[in-house]
Amino acid sequence: MSPFLSLTIQNFIDSCLESYYAKHKEAVLVIGTVYRNERRVYGIGDLSPYPTSEYSRLIYEIGSITKLFTVSLLAQLHYDGFLTIDESLGQYVPLLPPDSPVTFKHLATHTSGLPSRSLLRETRNLFDTRNSRDPYSAFSLSEAAFYLRKISAKEAGIKYQYSNAGMGLLGHVLATELQTTYELAVQDGITIPLQMQDTAIHLSSEARERLVPGYTGRRRAAELVLQDFPGTGAFRSSISDLLTFLSVHMGLHPDKEMTSIYSITQQLHFQKNDTFGVGLGWFHQLKDNLIWHNGGTHGYMSFMGFLPEQEIGVVVLSNKRTSSFAMNPTHIGMELLRRVK
């Protein structure tokens, strides 16, 4: 990294850390960068409650960055010939007709027709005490499948609608086909080969001691529990592990076969307009050639993004959920990459 680029990044991150901590004293903010084969981790916040002196080993809920693990698993099964991304879900989901126009790619690009929110569904849910539903989703697994039964060939793949249920259904189907749980499928296919020991849904007792508690405002937030849709946001991880995961997607990891497998996820599979498009899971900021995703749970916020041409990426993790866009992890990550560009 050139001295000028290094100084630009250092000055911006120092300013972000200080400004963020000045407003959120209970927070522990961690920022990680990867540039070619060089990694750096920056952090601010009290480390005394944890059995580590390194910000890189703290563990956070990563929310919807979990979706990138789901689409990575899809990419592996596609590469292995276990399935193809353009196959009909009807061949895998008994509740759908065998010739359903909805495909794996539609779920992975949020173009299946299944919405993230449905006013009608949420109203019905108020009076339905029999079905349990995950936070951030108006649908259960069976309800999501029944909704997709109504999608016609003219509707599938036409409109972008961000859908937690859609991505969660994708994770469920992949794990079912592998005859295992979603967590074990991701661990067997991704985290164990990449030696990402801190990435899991159910943490070991040692790892839980490094889990930073989440906050909403100044109140401790409940930990996120997802039953039907773990593939949409259930994973916990450290910034060290996530920098490893990001480096594979950027093509910077020594495992070149895995980087080749994952390359399909960053291809532009759906373009909403001149500025925004979607890969498999990944978002494309087209004018900046910036590829990214973010996440949020009850008490955490996260960001992961990179500039493929400049070979630089960033991960930002916070244990504080805020409603303000200013100085949250997405704002910090986006602004850092734009300054680098």
Side-chain angles (χ1 to χ4, degrees), residues 14 94 172 235 289 311 318 332:
D14 285 346
H172 172 80
F235 267 101
N289 193 22
E311 297 184 302
S318 173
I332 293 169

Side-chain angles (χ1 to χ4, degrees), residues 147-340:
Y147 189 99
L148 290 178
R149 289 178 66 92
K150 302 182 295 183
I151 302 299
S152 69
K154 293 182 179 180
E155 297 171 303
I158 300 301
K159 181 180 180 181
Y160 169 83
Q161 295 184 94
Y162 186 84
S163 176
N164 284 318
M167 192 67 75
L169 178 62
L170 175 61
H172 172 80
V173 173
L174 297 179
T176 299
E177 287 305 304
L178 290 171
Q179 298 182 339
T180 186
T181 66
Y182 173 77
E183 181 177 26
L184 288 177
V186 171
Q187 289 177 335
D188 290 343
I190 302 172
T191 63
I192 292 176
L194 292 175
Q195 299 181 350
M196 297 169 58
Q197 299 175 350
D198 288 335
T199 303
I201 296 174
H202 301 95
L203 299 171
S204 67
S205 56
E206 183 279 327
R208 284 199 66 85
E209 293 181 356
R210 292 183 281 119
L211 177 65
V212 185
Y215 286 87
T216 301
R218 295 187 176 180
R219 294 175 295 137
R220 287 279 291 269
E223 290 188 26
L224 182 64
V225 177
L226 299 178
Q227 301 294 342
D228 279 351
F229 298 133
T232 199
F235 267 101
R236 282 95 174 154
S237 189
S238 66
I239 206 157
S240 179
D241 274 10
L242 293 177
L243 288 174
T244 295
F245 182 69
L246 178 58
S247 72
V248 180
H249 278 270
M250 293 175 64
L252 305 178
H253 193 272
D255 191 332
K256 296 307 177 186
E257 181 182 20
M258 193 168 278
T259 63
S260 176
I261 292 171
Y262 289 174
S263 63
I264 192 175
T265 66
Q266 296 120 43
Q267 295 171 16
L268 185 63
H269 290 279
F270 182 85
Q271 186 168 338
K272 181 180 179 181
N273 51 42
D274 291 340
T275 62
F276 181 79
V278 192
L280 300 181
W282 289 100
F283 302 142
H284 286 245
Q285 216 69 28
L286 296 173
K287 290 187 176 180
D288 296 318
N289 193 22
L290 192 162
I291 301 175
W292 64 284
H293 207 293
N294 60 359
T297 65
H298 300 310
Y300 301 80
M301 300 183 79
S302 56
F303 174 87
M304 176 184 288
F306 65 100
L307 296 168
E309 293 180 351
Q310 284 77 17
E311 297 184 302
I312 188 164
V314 61
V315 179
V316 187
L317 301 175
S318 173
N319 63 325
K320 180 74 176 287
R321 185 179 181 108
T322 64
S323 58
S324 171
F325 180 74
M327 290 305 293
N328 70 25
T330 299
H331 171 84
I332 293 169
M334 287 283 202
E335 186 62 23
L336 174 58
L337 290 173
R338 286 172 175 149
R339 291 190 180 211
V340 168

